[in-house]
Amino acid sequence: MSAHFPPLARRLDGLRSSAIRDLLKLTARADIIGLAGGLPDAALMPRDRIAAAADAALSDRSRLQYTESPGWGPLREVLAARESDRLSRAVPVDEVFVTHGSQQALSLLAEVLLDPGALVVVEDPAYVGALQVFRAAGARIVAVPLDSDGLRLDALCELLAAGERPAVVHTVSNFHNPGGVTLAPARRRELANLAEQYGFWIIEDDPYGELWFDRPAPAPVATYSPNVIRLSSASKILAPSLRAGWMIAPTQVCRAVELLKQGADLCGSALTQQITADLLADTDWLAAHIDSVRQVYGARAKSLVAAVRATFGDRVTTTDASGGMFVWADFTDGTDTQALLPQALDAGVAYVPGAAFAVSTDYTHAMRLCFTTSDEATLTEAVARLAKAHAAAVHG
């Protein structure tokens, strides 16, 4: 006898699983070189330093208790100091809110800032985690394309001139996922001015800003306006398992998020927040650690880009790898990257087809490549395998 369960909520209609997460299930084989994931290299995570911080936290049993919904107080103080340096202004502790990774902050913000049907402007190609959040919130999503300087403000201005009034504009401002580009300084200031002129919120999603290779990322968009809510995370510089993300936002936004977080999980992990605070407060050690990560990732990024350009020539264009974790590549010969993927997997290499990030633009010929988890020799071999798959597809 089959069970007949009551229906689920209508908000689930039209939601779909992340294409990237689904792909990673298919590419877990040891014989496949993975360029698909968006994972930091576990070998670069400071295991011993994390263990020492954990021992220190565990020395006091009272620290195993629940903590405050906005986050463990000393961590918020450390984050306020770090963000004050970035934003060139004093960030009060009550404008700092700690979340279970920055993805939770994005999800809670969608509930706080968006009514069903509200307009959200995203970048195209888009961060898929943002698309999932905004679709679940019932938002109307409009995409604005990227170019080499990031979000195209001329296209945003056209939307505004046509009478569109977004509630939120979402931007991955530094070393974009998946586009690999960085929002230019002049555009940051202009975007902030538009937010104040037209009365919308900017969510500046910045998990990659400290992973620069050639020069530091520009001053955050949040430097220029209180209408900017800034998100970041320890996942890419320390370890994802700490699940320590944070939000810098006006006090009224933080208090609204607090109400929702209390209903979701009461509070985050006091233990991992203490560990994170210990590591972030150890400024000399942290600077050296992040610098070593930058050096490794920078060498890998340049190796991947060089291999793609040497192997494919003008058949593929790629972004320059100046930071972050990703390279965005486009076939110029009409190759369908979704159709090519099975042959690439057979050849032993995985990537994410551009269609996974599409909102309104056709990215049939594009792909996202992650360079963080393989050394230079392995990345070169991955490109050779991709070339083998491409040749087989072209010649039948």
Side-chain angles (χ1 to χ4, degrees), residues 207-265:
Y208 310 107
E210 294 186 76
L211 298 179
W212 50 267
F213 306 148
D214 302 319
R215 66 183 65 85
V221 183
T223 305
Y224 304 112
S225 173
N227 285 36
V228 184
I229 299 169
R230 179 169 156 76
L231 310 184
S232 195
S233 167
S235 293
K236 307 305 186 294
I237 59 172
L238 296 175
S241 61
L242 293 173
R243 304 314 301 135
W246 52 88
M247 172 181 73
I248 309 300
T251 304
Q252 64 267 35
V253 174
C254 290
R255 296 293 75 79
V257 168
E258 182 176 358
L259 292 175
L260 291 175
K261 185 168 174 60
Q262 288 172 349
D265 63 4

Side-chain angles (χ1 to χ4, degrees), residues 175-176 180 208 211-214 301-302 320-326 371:
F175 316 120
H176 189 271
Y208 310 107
L211 298 179
W212 50 267
F213 306 148
D214 302 319
K302 289 173 173 55
D320 291 317
S322 58
M325 298 172 61
F326 306 106
F371 50 76

Side-chain angles (χ1 to χ4, degrees), residues 68-72 76 96-99 255 258 261 266 273:
E68 301 171 5
S69 297
W72 192 57
R76 295 171 68 204
V96 179
F97 198 100
V98 181
T99 54
R255 296 293 75 79
E258 182 176 358
K261 185 168 174 60
L266 297 180
Q273 290 183 24

Side-chain angles (χ1 to χ4, degrees), residues 362-386:
D362 181 2
Y363 292 115
T364 300
H365 311 305
M367 56 186 170
R368 189 193 74 176
L369 309 176
C370 180
F371 50 76
T372 53
T373 54
S374 297
D375 61 26
E376 290 96 311
T378 303
L379 291 167
T380 300
E381 172 61 22
V383 175
R385 294 182 185 187
L386 183 60

Side-chain angles (χ1 to χ4, degrees), residues 88-134:
S88 301
R89 66 173 177 86
V91 174
V93 172
D94 64 3
E95 292 184 2
V96 179
F97 198 100
V98 181
T99 54
H100 192 74
S102 60
Q103 184 69 20
Q104 187 189 49
L106 189 58
S107 179
L108 293 172
L109 282 172
E111 294 186 65
V112 166
L113 304 179
L114 301 174
D115 292 317
L119 174 61
V120 174
V121 172
V122 300
E123 294 156 326
D124 199 1
Y127 167 52
V128 293
L131 292 178
Q132 287 181 302
V133 162
F134 297 141

